[in-house]
Amino acid sequence: MERYVRQMDLQKVGERGQARLAAARVVIIGCGGLGSASAELLTRAGIGRLRLVDDDRVEFANLVGQSLFDEEDAQTGEYKVVAARRRLSRLNFAVAIEAMTARLSEHNADSLVAGADLVLDGSDNDATRYLINAACLKQGIPWVFAAVLENYGLVMNIVPGKTPCFVCIFGRPADPQACRNKEKGALVATTHAVASLQVSQALRILLRNGECNPGLIYVDTWQPDVEIVPVKGPPMSCPACGRG
Ligand SMILES: [Zn+2]
């Protein structure tokens, strides 16, 4: 526990909170820039079990923004989750890290998030987010949506039964698969800021047993600007989470 002394000094963590983190199981969907940064923060914080889900391999173009990978990983074309597990294990051997070389689909989403206390969105497209939303609603698992585009970012806590869900806020397209298009470029500094916001919210949900403030966090790291857009809900009429 010695390594967590400074973290346990925080009133919001303490020894009990640290033990709670050590017992927590988190799934991160996507191991690119955002997923890498969030995985590193959670590993250093001493999360108990981390499952990483991604089927991409490391390329040289990833080295600018994806902090868990190095030139050797790009040279050998290592799977991102395998390279990430190797790096994260060196940062904190006490964290059990599971590398799943898989792309989230409607066929595997339920089993990939099963048993998690929390799911983090490290994806780069809305089609994946609709799948995360559906699987998490079905199993009552909180998740933290995050997206980065250029120098802008969005983060929102989605706690089934307590906050609006992804469909409440963004609607449901006729064909969610059409949202597979990857988001365009992002400033690396913005990605890290969004990962920090995402992990802060993740820790808050884990330490406070799902308690969180509903609201869409918008950040512009260039201007800079941060806004919390209030959201209401969950509405009875939502086709995904409504009880009406
Ligand atoms: Zn909803």
Side-chain angles (χ1 to χ4, degrees), residues 165 168 238 241:
C165 79
C168 292
C238 172
C241 73

Short mmCIF file of all heavy atoms in Angstrom, two decimals, residues 165 168 238 241, ligand 1:
data_model
loop_
_atom_site.label_atom_id
_atom_site.label_comp_id
_atom_site.label_asym_id
_atom_site.label_seq_id
_atom_site.Cartn_x
_atom_site.Cartn_y
_atom_site.Cartn_z
N CYS A 165 -29.26 8.31 -20.67
CA CYS A 165 -28.31 7.44 -21.35
C CYS A 165 -27.84 8.10 -22.65
O CYS A 165 -28.23 9.22 -22.97
CB CYS A 165 -28.92 6.06 -21.60
SG CYS A 165 -30.05 5.98 -23.01
N CYS A 168 -30.74 8.95 -24.89
CA CYS A 168 -31.49 10.11 -24.38
C CYS A 168 -30.89 11.41 -24.93
O CYS A 168 -31.60 12.34 -25.28
CB CYS A 168 -31.40 10.20 -22.86
SG CYS A 168 -32.23 8.92 -21.93
N CYS A 238 -37.52 7.48 -23.36
CA CYS A 238 -36.35 7.04 -24.13
C CYS A 238 -36.52 5.59 -24.59
O CYS A 238 -36.82 4.72 -23.79
CB CYS A 238 -35.09 7.17 -23.30
SG CYS A 238 -33.64 6.45 -24.10
N CYS A 241 -33.64 3.48 -22.54
CA CYS A 241 -33.63 3.32 -21.08
C CYS A 241 -34.95 3.70 -20.42
O CYS A 241 -35.08 3.56 -19.21
CB CYS A 241 -32.49 4.14 -20.46
SG CYS A 241 -32.78 5.92 -20.47
ZN ZN B 1 -32.07 6.80 -22.47
#
